């Protein structure tokens, strides 16, 4: 067991090739193919949550709130993939993952993950509030003109990109870190942000890929997320292992 007093405050990060995200996707897809039943189970669960959020947004606020909540999906998507990190972890160790095992493994870092979930929830609520304020740009006379809709989406996207960039940098590697190692939320988040700042172009490419697949998920009426979320979750795990050196932190019980 390593002494917490001797651990660095930030996990050292490695220099990543800008093409590395393509390799993460390949490794993630291999994990998906190795566990199709388990992957689809997680995918259906995430799809169901997405549908419930979409229906709630439509019922409570119509198009304005629906667009705000769906655009805020990028803030909470890493949490949906939390239970999937144990799948890739067990495959890396040569084990055969099961649903029960992944649920038990996800329960180990519950306290830290709950703190992180609350932080993301606050950011999501702030964005949802900002999204409702942007509705002044939404056509209200019953006639939706293309230029008015473009202005509304442009302003909303510009504001949302600020929230999304902060959330992306803070969560891209921190959640796999928390899921696997005995690390507190602050250390995990700072380590993730440091890795993003040290590898801006690589993580920019990864961010573009995440946005691309997210758009595909929305374009397929959310059905695409059944495959996309597990795939990206597995790929994120491989990115975390390649980016951060976490040997100074103990492996969580049950994660060996």
């Amino acid at each position: 067991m390593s002494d917490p007093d001797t651990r660095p405050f930030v996990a050292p990060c490695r220099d990543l090739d800008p093409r590395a995200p393509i390799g993460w996707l390949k490794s993630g897809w291999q994990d998906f193919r190795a566990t199709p039943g388990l992957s689809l189970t997680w995918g259906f669960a995430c799809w169901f949550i997405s549908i419930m959020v979409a229906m709630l947004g439509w019922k409570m606020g119509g198009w304005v709130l629906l667009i705000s909540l769906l655009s805020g999906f990028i803030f909470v998507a890493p949490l949906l993939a939390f239970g999937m990190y144990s799948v890739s972890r067990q495959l890396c160790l040569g084990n055969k993952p099961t649903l029960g095992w992944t649920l038990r493994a996800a329960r180990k870092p519950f306290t830290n993950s709950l703190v992180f979930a609350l932080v993301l929830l606050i950011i999501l609520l702030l964005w949802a509030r900002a999204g409702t304020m942007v509705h002044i740009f939404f056509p209200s006379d019953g006639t939706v003109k293309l230029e008015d809709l473009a202005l509304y989406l442009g302003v909303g996207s510009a504001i949302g990109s600020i929230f999304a960039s902060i959330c992306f940098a803070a969560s891209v590697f921190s959640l796999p870190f928390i899921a696997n190692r005995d690390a507190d939320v602050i250390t995990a988040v700072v380590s993730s942000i440091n890795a993003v700042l040290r590898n801006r172009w690589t993580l920019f490419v990864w961010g573009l890929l995440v946005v691309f697949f997210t758009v595909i998920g929305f374009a397929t009426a959310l059905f695409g997320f059944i495959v996309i979320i597990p795939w990206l979750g597995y790929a994120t795990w491989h990115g975390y292992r390649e980016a951060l050196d976490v040997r100074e932190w103990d492996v969580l019980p049950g994660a060996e």
Side-chain angles (χ1 to χ4, degrees), residues 11 16 32-33 48 56 72 80 89 123 144 182 229 231 247:
L16 303 173
F32 189 100
R33 294 184 60 186
F48 179 77
L56 180 63
L80 296 179
R89 179 174 60 209
I123 296 176
V144 180
D182 183 19
I229 291 181
W231 183 13
R247 289 174 294 180

Side-chain angles (χ1 to χ4, degrees), residues 42 46 76-86 175 229-230 232-234 236:
W42 279 108
C46 294
V76 296
L79 287 175
L80 296 179
F82 195 92
M84 303 167 203
Y85 301 139
S86 60
L175 284 178
I229 291 181
L232 292 182
Y234 301 152
T236 299

Side-chain angles (χ1 to χ4, degrees), residues 25-38:
L25 286 175
K26 291 180 179 178
S27 298
W29 185 247
Q30 291 174 355
D31 291 351
F32 189 100
R33 294 184 60 186
T35 56
L38 183 57

Side-chain angles (χ1 to χ4, degrees), residues 14 88-89 92 173 176 236-245:
R14 304 179 180 92
S88 290
R89 179 174 60 209
C92 288
F173 297 135
T236 299
W237 169 261
H238 290 282
Y240 146 77
R241 294 183 69 241
E242 187 174 335
L244 297 182
D245 181 357

Side-chain angles (χ1 to χ4, degrees), residues 41-184:
T41 298
W42 279 108
F44 273 110
C46 294
W47 170 80
F48 179 77
I49 294 174
S50 303
I51 290 294
M52 292 297 101
V53 171
M55 292 177 60
L56 180 63
W58 174 260
K59 184 176 180 180
M60 295 181 63
W63 281 107
V64 174
L65 185 58
L66 177 61
I67 294 176
S68 298
L69 287 177
L70 290 181
S71 59
F73 181 83
I74 193 172
F75 305 144
V76 296
L79 287 175
L80 296 179
F82 195 92
M84 303 167 203
Y85 301 139
S86 60
V87 175
S88 290
R89 179 174 60 209
Q90 291 304 311
L91 288 173
C92 288
L93 295 174
N95 300 327
K96 183 175 179 59
T98 63
L99 181 60
W101 178 273
T102 58
L103 290 174
R104 289 192 297 271
R107 193 172 65 240
K108 299 293 183 181
F110 179 77
T111 301
N112 281 331
S113 60
L114 183 60
V115 172
F116 197 93
L118 291 174
V119 173
L120 287 186
L121 178 61
I122 292 173
I123 296 176
L124 175 60
L125 292 176
L126 288 174
W127 163 232
R129 178 60 177 171
T132 57
M133 295 175 66
V134 177
H135 82 280
I136 61 175
F137 296 96
F138 193 80
S140 59
D141 58 359
T143 302
V144 180
K145 298 181 180 179
L146 181 59
E147 56 269 25
D148 294 332
L149 184 59
L151 176 62
Y152 169 73
L153 294 177
V155 174
S157 299
I159 298 176
S161 64
I162 299 175
F163 289 91
S165 298
I166 296 173
C167 216
F168 174 78
S171 64
V172 61
F173 297 135
S174 59
L175 284 178
F177 193 0
I178 293 172
N180 186 48
R181 298 283 173 161
D182 183 19
D184 60 88

